[in-house]
Amino acid sequence: MVACRAIGILCRFSAFRILRSRGYICRNFTGSSALLTRTHINYGVKGDVAVVRINSPNSKVNTLSKELHSEFTEVMNEIWASDQIRSAVLISSKPGCFIAGADINMLSACKTPQEVTQLSQEAQRILEKLEKSPKPVVAAINGSCLGGGLELAISCQYRIATKDRKTVLGVPEVLLGALPGAGGTQRLPKMVGVPAALDMMLTGRNIRADRAKKMGLVDQLVEPLGPGLKPPEERTMEYLEEVAITFAKGLADKKISPKRDKGLVEKLTAYAMTIPFVRQQVYKKVEEKVRKQTKGLYPAPLKIIDVVKTGIEQGSDAGYLSESQKFGELIMTKESKALMGLYHGQVLCKKNKFGAPQKDVKHLAILGAGLMGAGIAQVSVDKGLKTILKDATLTGLDRGQQQVFKGLNDKVKKKALTSFERDSIFSNLTGQLDYQGFEKADMVIEAVFEDLSLKHRVLKEVEAVIPDHCIFASNTSALPISEIAAVSKRPEKVIGMHYFSPVDKMQLLEIITTEKTSRDTSASAIAVGLKQGKVIIVVKDGPGFYTTRCLAPMMSEVIRILQEGVDPKKLDSLTTSFGFPVGAATLVDEVGVDVAKHVAEDLGKVFGERFGGGNPELLTQMVSKGFLGRKSGKGFYIYQEGVKRKDLNSDMDSILASLKLPPNSEVSSDEDIQFRLVTRFVNEAVMCLQEGILATPAEGDIGAVFGLGFPPCLGGPFRFVDLYGAQKIVDRLKKYEAAYGKQFTPCQLLADHANSPNKKFYQ
Amino acid sequence: MTTILAYPFKNLPTTSKWALRFAIRPLSCSSQLRAAPAVQTKTKKTLAKPNIRNVVVVDGVRTPFLLSGTSYKDLMPHDLARAALTGLLHRTSVPKEVVDYIIFGTVIQEVKTSNVAREAALGAGFSDKTPAHTVTMACISANQAMTTGVGLIASGQCDVIVAGGVELMSDVPIRHSRKMRKLMLDLNKAKSMGQRLSLISKFRLNFLAPELPAVAEFSTSETMGHSADRLAAAFAVSRLEQDEYALRSHSLAKKAQDEGLLSDVVPFRVPGKDTVTKDNGIRPSSLEQMAKLKPAFIKPYGTVTAANSSFLTDGASAILIMAEEKALAMGYKPKAYLRDFMYVSQDPKDQLLLGPTYATPKVLEKAGLTMNDIDAFEFHEAFSGQILANFKAMDSDWFAENYMGRKTKVGLPPLEKFNNWGGSLSLGHPFGATGCRLVMAAANRLRKEGGQYGLVAACAAGGQGHAMIVEAYPK
């Protein structure tokens, strides 16, 4: 839990959403150029309409690869040359995906910006030809239409999309540190207006079909069909194709106009944007906002604005040129590499490496209806798991059930659910005070208070009522699972599932296996986590596992820095400007000072001076004065209901004064303070890999970014070492070691990497 | 005395048929098959069940079904229902006091007469000692009213039941918005002037926006026409097929009307207006005319139009059902038996209107019959697309295997036996009243065209469905 209430704030941070857009890209690279038949695209002619079907082989999604690109050019040239064909329909053969974007591997294989620019220009050329096509082309969209896929669709004369949940449109390139590089920056503003286009490109948000229709991004919607004479998905695709063909014919016969009637607001916005002064103001406003949010750490958003501006102010030729050049530059940046690395890591952490469990978990029971327990319940019931939420008291249970309901109801307000769906989802939840029904449970997750004897008690109680196959999972942030399992009759069925708060927002799940945990238990826990929509890292048991253990030394350094007289506000701004979504002092307040103290003491005992630096007395004194952070209204800051502004808690001055230490001027520059925090984090992370707590660096990066808010632009501690240079980090650590002592001693694995520059965590 | 006499009389033809079948069977089949219910031959068993009372339809009537907003527009629902009841009294001359119970179906309820059965019964001059209740089950409300009656008779609770249904779409309850209602209710409770003024100060103009009832599913918010269009698309039913089917319905209805076959219609003298004697929605058009209409729900490319959908209708129906022995004792010559029936339900989103497909095989199996045994099919026609989608579903092995848990398809009802006197598309569809019309059409067709069994089936909002076997009463 150390790992954070606060980090819900992360989710506001746009770069984080990357990782939400499902299956943005595939790493499919079947280079079978020898084959004469086309493998990615084929087409048939129905009447005078060519139906072009996109189907990347051996993959769940279609991606814009070189092969697809060249086959598409070929096919379109044939269509344009044919006398029989008067119009065309573009459709995917895969029900869940139109085109999910460009092939990331194709981009990361490029060595120079020029190569990338060239790829972008090739795409621009064919799409420009498509835009100017004398024969109308209709894009029939079902499933994800993202990035290059959307750029292709908006180059067509007409777009028809299914109103399926899977159908989403968007340009998420910014989340990978890039920009829409196939004419998107130029066409989108013309199509949906500058403000909406900038919003799409800067946030990378996914837009559902009905919203896209309102924005003018698609021209017609097709309702998904139910069962008929064929499976629903298959028939829906056929129907979409049929409808698209009628429209293609209508367009060719000029019976249908591709022009759309704009609403009044749209017309007014469009008119306003013709005034240069207004445009300048819009650019300025957006730039200001972007600078504030990214703190200059992410180059892509500013370049996007720049490219859009160039296109509008200097004409589209200049715009296209600028787009392709900036695209090339961006793909080569460290930030882009870090974000793409996270993307790959996330794909990896969405797989169950233990395979399918023997028995699917259908009935889940959760002990403790607190923030965590109720959060876990919420992400379970909406995936159709029958869930029992048990608490010791009626008030606790009420609060928990209300939390679940509120979470679902908020989705209703956002129109992501209907009230009817909410009610039927909520009926999956049973709240109770006793162990009734536990005899049917396939898995029990306990989220009771972090106290070993309490955990032992519930484990014994639960084991008395659950069936043999039932798994007992413990949601703890620091208590070693093997200690919890010590009282179990069947330790092979005990596992740790460390969720992060707020559970419905935080994507990470840290699964902790002990020596005795069976493979099937692990497989089952991962299967449940994946069902709950989590990104999962699997780590070995140990004090603090991986996430809490990395955070603790950094927190120790936070205390040290505060003791040295750095103002909490200053510390917050230093950490956020380094890329952390939440300032370090605020983080302590959000986590809860008592929790932080608890963890600091526990881990301090185990790890000794490596976790030293700050004086835990600071936390002890804060707790004794009741400064527990946000939950008690006072911590480093003062929190008041309804007041957004945070004021420093002046009562802290005396505590800080009593523990004041003189700063060491050699290691107290702003940059040094930032690096003191980050290097301790990174050093501990590498140590976890060295000790085998972590199985792979990728999991370490995902855990740090998704669970602890490690700056996404750095890609996680391991990526950071690779990109920044192990030697430089070790140098820094040694400098701080000289000033402070052993807590900064670089671990062996990090030293090895520094000694041989060819050694990388990611090859 | 008469009752005792009636028993052997009624059983006579039955036993003789069985005897006949047993006599024939050994000639054609192996002896092992003898035990299996043999239903292929034209000589069929009756569906009477041992120890269960037979329920018969003595007769049934309905008011003319009118397009909503025409001659009935100034009435209230119970006025229409009363007209059907008086019509039934007139037609059957049943003494009012022998009626044990009255049940009516309705869908869009007039709040003032929420138990419309009781209000109509009192107005129609039934005994005030006869209880009445109202049921609702969307388009199969009248079916529910009848089968409730069947249950009451079969279980021995009642002997004589009047069942019926009514719908008045010309007037529907349009409510104040929730906010306005809340304000008004709070005002009611306010004690002091100050409280009242503070409540009134909360009033906003948007409170006055009214709430309209929609023919939409509550669970999915999808209108039925929209769902029908998607259903038609799912089964690849073309616009032309739908228009052709609608034209068939109108043409057959016209023919039946002209030939005077719609004998269940009783004239209704609308107060202050002319007497209404016939349905006014029957309008056979041409395919060319129909093709010109724009889609009504999925615009601009859908296939369901005003011409191939049933229209909003006002109308009421009523039917007199009795225990067989009671009917015979009273000297009636019943028209038909009401036999096995079945209610089904499925996904209200994607299978909203597939009720008949699911209910038909189940009720046939329950009765031990096959499609071939049915001489008159009377299906409720909500939309042409819905009927044709049901046909395609019934004719599909794939659908039967994947969605119905059957090994083979249900089979297609032969069109020449199907809704021969028109259907809801042409005659109209007052939601609460259609069920009785279907049963009477089946019964009257069996009498007119010959044949023993009729099958009534209908779909209803909520993804529900119903089917019932109507057996002709031996002449």
Side-chain angles (χ1 to χ4, degrees), chain B residues 376-399:
Chain B
F377 290 89
E378 277 296 325
F379 277 35
H380 162 50
E381 299 166 344
F383 302 88
S384 280
Q386 166 257 337
I387 285 289
L388 296 171
N390 272 286
F391 281 178
K392 295 208 178 187
M394 291 166 102
D395 199 28
S396 161
D397 283 322
W398 186 87
F399 187 84

Side-chain angles (χ1 to χ4, degrees), chain A residues 165-401:
Chain A
R165 284 225 167 138
K166 281 187 189 154
T167 302
V168 286
L169 301 96
V171 272
E173 284 87 346
V174 70
L175 304 177
L176 293 175
L179 55 76
T185 60
Q186 307 303 307
R187 278 190 198 96
L188 262 185
K190 283 181 198 141
M191 180 159 267
V192 298
V194 179
L198 280 175
D199 177 70
M200 282 176 70
M201 288 187 275
L202 294 175
T203 60
R205 76 171 91 236
N206 280 344
I207 294 167
R208 282 203 301 260
D210 43 354
R211 172 103 192 89
K213 170 94 177 2
K214 279 189 199 131
M215 288 171 67
L217 207 52
V218 302
D219 300 287
Q220 292 294 339
L221 295 180
V222 166
E223 292 280 340
L225 301 180
L229 300 177
K230 285 175 186 167
E233 268 191 341
E234 193 184 324
R235 177 60 196 150
T236 301
M237 289 299 281
E238 265 183 25
Y239 181 51
L240 172 65
E241 187 181 308
E242 287 164 14
V243 172
I245 289 174
T246 7
F247 277 93
K249 280 187 180 149
L251 285 164
D253 296 343
K254 308 242 180 307
K255 280 185 190 151
I256 298 166
S257 159
K259 287 222 174 67
R260 193 174 59 93
D261 291 330
K262 290 184 175 176
L264 183 65
V265 180
E266 240 178 300
K267 278 185 194 155
L268 284 176
T269 332
Y271 171 73
M273 291 306 288
T274 58
I275 308 165
F277 173 74
V278 176
R279 285 204 303 268
Q280 294 309 325
Q281 288 302 311
V282 170
Y283 300 142
K284 219 176 101 189
K285 263 263 143 56
V286 177
E287 254 173 59
E288 263 171 36
K289 212 174 156 192
V290 163
R291 271 185 214 284
K292 209 176 148 200
Q293 279 187 353
T294 62
K295 307 202 186 294
L297 295 167
Y298 296 85
L302 290 175
K303 296 228 162 140
I304 289 173
I305 301 172
D306 198 37
V307 172
V308 171
K309 205 153 99 180
T310 311
I312 292 171
E313 305 300 328
Q314 298 168 29
S316 48
D317 283 348
Y320 283 122
L321 185 65
S322 165
E323 178 186 272
S324 60
Q325 285 171 346
K326 298 263 160 55
F327 184 62
E329 291 164 25
L330 282 173
I331 292 291
M332 290 297 137
T333 57
K334 278 185 187 172
E335 289 81 4
S336 174
K337 290 203 188 317
L339 292 170
M340 286 189 187
L342 281 176
Y343 171 76
H344 285 307
Q346 190 219 21
V347 170
L348 209 68
C349 293
K350 282 270 184 196
K351 288 185 180 140
N352 193 341
K353 57 182 174 185
F354 290 88
Q358 282 164 16
K359 193 171 189 306
D360 262 349
V361 171
K362 292 201 174 101
H363 294 265
L364 184 69
I366 297 163
L367 301 175
L371 213 55
M372 296 302 290
I376 300 168
Q378 190 192 324
V379 298
S380 306
V381 286
D382 66 356
K383 312 299 181 317
L385 285 170
K386 291 268 171 213
T387 306
I388 294 174
L389 186 62
K390 181 200 174 298
D391 200 274
T393 66
L394 193 60
T395 42
L397 186 62
D398 278 352
R399 198 216 61 81
Q401 282 177 303

